[in-house]
Amino acid sequence: MAQEMKVDPITFEVLRNAFAAVSNEMALVVAKTAYSTPVNEGRDFSGSVYDRWGKLVSQGEFDLPAFVGLTMLTVPEVIRAVGIENMKSGDIYMINDPYVASTHCNDIHLVKPIFYEGQLIGFTTSTAHWSDVGGVAPGSLNARARSHFEEGVRIPALRIYREGVLNKDVLSILLANMRQSWERIGDLNAQTAAVKAGEARVLAYVEKFGVQTVLDAMEDVQNHSERLARRSWSNLPDGTYESEDFIDQDIHTGEPKRIALKLTIEGDHAIFDLTGSDGAAEAAVNCTIAATTSAVFIGLAGVLPPMPMNSGVMRTVEIKAKRGSIVWAQPPVGISGLAATSMECVVSCCMNALSQAYPERGAATPFSILNTVFAGHDTRPDFDAPFISYVWGFGGLGATLNKDGHNVTGSPYSASTMNIPAELQERRYPVLWHAHKCKDSGGGPGRRRGGTGLLQIVEFAYTGGTITCIGDRERFGPKGIFGGHEGGKAGLVINLDTENERNIGIFALNAEAEAGEVMSFWSAGGGGYGDPLEREPALIIKDMMDDYITIQEARDIYGVVVREKDRRRLVYEVDQAATENLRKEMARAR
């Protein structure tokens, strides 16, 4: 590792922040011009800067963490497939191939080489989740898929623009296999504008500082992050830390799938060994190696001290996995559900193992996202068109040493995304939202409590449709640490608490819903941190006032005896003597 910076410290800081600003500007372009709701409102996208070798230089403040790590494989794959010698100014490459460079088929990557006076100096990328790329189910998320042929179009690295000219023939083939092609074109144009904007901004820095200074700064930024990462590893105790997590089920066998991690810290580097994980699933919960790499990246970013996250950090990490296992999917096994299942479990394992080595910054397991699609034909006179609405729920984060987990927040995987307003959903799709709120309970008990999940209730108010969902944590809640309990579980039910109630589960595929039926779905709560018997009684009272726990739960879980003095005014009182005695009894009974 080069220890000396090639540019002076002031120029280094200017350009380090400038590269991040390029990503932010690309994000703004996509947010302002994309057609699909998950992209322009939910911000399910990223835009990053890479050096001429395809190494990540910088991400932006709005980049989806899940995309940033995996694109460390995406750009090198484009270089391998196309060849640097064949790249031309004005080219833009498209790829979504999950098995070499992506997550699932919905995530479309555009990669643009940047040339200055004929010299390749770097790349800009834009990644976005397209709401549909074909396959069996509207939305292309098919938890039951046994192969990627049921999940949508798989795109190897190809030129979508050749020297500035759109390849209309290729685009026509792609759009013919995707629903609502007009929306796909809008997102493609937004991403194209983004990588062009990023290129223009990098070239402006080249004009101002000189090409060699920019190239040197790209190298220095990565070396700087490597030094910070190695210092962080060196400050942690050497040793091996083990963790495991479970995907609820392979829907075809009903059996859970185990992901196991051995984290070994040796001096200034770490080994993430996932070779003990289960073999591939028959259903679409398998994780690609790019997504596994990204999950490790997310896990360590969530626990290690803050630092610019780029390829320099990953130089300090070795990832071990078995080809063909659930964490290194091989074609043609299904993968469309990885983002809500196996990838989240790898993040969980990484955070759990790192928390053992670094408890001061550790955190319990957060919720896993619910990828939910409701689709059909909008029969209202002013619409009369097919619709696909893709949403994901926020949920409870895991508790930490000093703080309860945040309620209804994006997970480490999806931290940059935003809530899609219910009012906007109602304008665009034939549904009514009856609730979008914190779930009253579900945070994992502990000395610090996990955050609560999100409850959403949606009515098919004008017409029927289908529901497809890929989620997790319906059987195994997010794990607590250091004695904390697991968080509450997720679920999806039609007509909840009525005589027509149907529990279709969070692996639903094209489940029918009639006009007037109501879908209730909720995400999991975060895991707890520490022994629940050590939680301060004053915090128990506050939890009761916020309806997170009941008087009985305060007694049974936390060992706190509470008297209700005035329910209407939320006045409660702790019986200190009874609480002390009860907690002693509960501790002895363990």
Side-chain angles (χ1 to χ4, degrees), residues 494-508:
I494 304 297
N495 303 324
L496 182 65
D497 296 330
T498 72
E499 61 182 15
N500 297 319
E501 180 177 310
R502 304 197 311 277
N503 184 354
I504 64 174
I506 57 177
F507 284 91

Side-chain angles (χ1 to χ4, degrees), residues 364-419:
T365 301
F367 76 104
S368 294
I369 62 172
L370 294 179
N371 286 316
T372 309
V373 178
F374 32 99
H377 192 95
D378 191 344
T379 58
R380 292 175 295 175
D382 291 340
F383 292 84
D384 191 24
F387 72 93
I388 300 174
S389 176
Y390 163 59
V391 297
W392 55 91
F394 291 175
L397 295 191
T400 62
L401 175 66
N402 295 313
K403 290 186 177 181
D404 291 342
H406 289 294
N407 301 327
V408 187
T409 305
S411 73
Y413 163 91
S414 60
S416 64
T417 59
M418 297 180 67
N419 166 57

Side-chain angles (χ1 to χ4, degrees), residues 148-293:
H148 71 82
F149 299 109
E150 303 172 65
E151 298 176 320
V153 178
R154 177 183 170 194
I155 308 169
L158 55 81
R159 282 185 179 85
I160 194 67
Y161 279 84
R162 183 185 295 271
E163 297 184 67
V165 179
L166 176 66
N167 190 333
K168 295 182 180 180
D169 293 338
V170 169
L171 181 61
S172 296
I173 294 171
L174 296 176
L175 295 179
N177 288 279
M178 299 178 182
R179 300 170 180 87
Q180 295 186 304
S181 59
W182 64 271
E183 195 173 76
R184 309 291 79 77
I185 293 173
D187 288 349
L188 172 63
N189 289 341
Q191 290 180 256
T192 300
V195 293
K196 288 181 177 180
E199 175 194 40
R201 191 63 65 213
V202 171
L203 290 175
Y205 296 140
V206 169
E207 290 287 349
K208 182 173 183 178
F209 294 97
V211 63
Q212 193 58 50
T213 298
V214 170
L215 294 176
D216 288 344
M218 287 181 172
E219 183 178 344
D220 283 346
V221 165
Q222 296 173 67
N223 290 339
H224 173 64
S225 291
E226 181 180 356
R227 284 191 291 271
L228 293 176
R230 292 196 183 279
R231 184 183 305 163
S232 295
W233 294 126
S234 297
N235 289 334
L236 298 180
D238 285 357
T240 298
Y241 308 90
E242 299 188 29
S243 62
E244 66 177 8
D245 204 350
F246 292 88
I247 301 167
D248 280 350
Q249 62 174 317
D250 178 334
I251 195 67
H252 295 303
T253 67
E255 295 297 319
K257 301 296 288 187
R258 176 176 178 264
I259 292 178
L261 170 68
K262 285 186 178 180
L263 166 65
T264 301
I265 299 175
E266 297 177 344
D268 65 353
H269 71 283
I271 301 168
F272 290 79
D273 185 348
L274 292 153
T275 55
S277 301
D278 283 352
E282 294 182 30
V285 296
N286 299 288
C287 203
T288 65
I289 190 60
T292 294
T293 300

